[in-house]
Amino acid sequence: LKAYRLIRAEQYDQAGMVLEKIVDENPDDLEAGLNMAIVEIRQEKKDIARERLTRLSERYPDHPVIRRLLDQL
């Protein structure tokens, strides 16, 4: 929730730091992974976001948000 608020406030560096801790502990966390990919996209780190979304799509192959974000890249 804290990361989401930071993303909404366009504080991407801070949101990334919060999310990085969560993703490091649980790389398969869907919500954290999606939010981290959004942060990476907004920070123009599209290759990193693509890699993250590709990994998530292997774990969650039918998730529409993952597919939509990948299509935007």
Side-chain angles (χ1 to χ4, degrees):
L1 186 59
K2 180 178 181 179
Y4 178 76
R5 285 191 205 130
L6 291 167
I7 291 169
R8 299 271 303 169
E10 298 182 7
Q11 296 178 6
Y12 303 123
D13 290 337
Q14 293 91 338
M17 287 188 286
V18 170
L19 291 165
E20 191 172 331
K21 292 176 186 176
I22 297 167
V23 171
D24 284 347
E25 291 177 14
N26 186 1
D28 291 331
D29 184 307
L30 178 61
E31 185 175 338
L34 286 172
N35 283 319
M36 190 66 172
I38 290 167
V39 167
E40 292 161 347
I41 291 167
R42 297 208 176 140
Q43 291 180 321
E44 297 296 322
K45 299 176 182 176
K46 293 182 180 182
D47 290 338
I48 296 169
R50 185 178 293 109
E51 290 174 20
R52 182 178 310 284
L53 291 166
T54 299
R55 281 193 309 271
L56 285 172
S57 72
E58 292 168 2
R59 179 86 166 125
Y60 305 96
D62 297 323
H63 198 280
V65 175
I66 295 170
R67 180 66 29 219
R68 189 172 68 239
L69 289 172
L70 278 170
D71 289 344
Q72 290 177 6
L73 297 173

